[in-house]
Amino acid sequence: MMIELPAVVADYFNADNAHDADGVAACFGEDGEVRDEHERHQGHDAIRAWKRATGAKYAATIAPLDCTLTARGCVIKGEVSGNFPGSPVVLGFDFQLAGAKIAALEIR
């Protein structure tokens, strides 16, 4: 089953699964931010560094399972597989969009 995602969210998951930190960062606006593992990463350089570090640590891939549109963007339920205890796990990806870019992403 194919899940329809907003274009920039699909681009994010494609870049993330390819372990392309530059591609992930490019999905965000200039002041975009990621909140993950109780840390906040704001701006392209910080997002790129976060993605490189998490990619090296977990080598994770994400399979989107469900997409719920919200007033500000969408919430994706995704199965995350990688090098961590309990893999795979299902996490929530709360995207706030601003035009064709991601303004914020919270992973929980």
Side-chain angles (χ1 to χ4, degrees), residues 19 37 54-62 78-91 93 107:
H19 305 289
E37 295 182 329
T54 59
K57 184 176 181 180
Y58 302 119
T61 58
I62 306 162
E79 183 178 78
V80 182
S81 301
N83 298 329
F84 54 88
S87 176
V89 298
V90 175
L91 297 178
F93 297 81
I107 302 170

Side-chain angles (χ1 to χ4, degrees), residues 4 6 9 38 59 78-79 86-87 96 106:
E4 192 169 329
V9 173
H38 307 289
E79 183 178 78
S87 176
Q96 294 178 27
E106 182 174 2

Side-chain angles (χ1 to χ4, degrees), residues 38-102:
H38 307 289
E39 293 184 6
R40 182 175 171 261
H41 313 276
Q42 185 168 16
H44 289 156
D45 290 341
I47 291 169
R48 187 178 299 106
W50 160 77
K51 184 42 49 192
R52 284 187 180 133
T54 59
K57 184 176 181 180
Y58 302 119
T61 58
I62 306 162
L65 303 172
D66 184 57
C67 176
T68 303
L69 297 178
T70 66
R72 300 179 305 179
C74 63
V75 177
I76 307 297
K77 182 170 54 170
E79 183 178 78
V80 182
S81 301
N83 298 329
F84 54 88
S87 176
V89 298
V90 175
L91 297 178
F93 297 81
D94 187 350
F95 289 91
Q96 294 178 27
L97 305 179
K101 295 289 185 177
I102 300 168

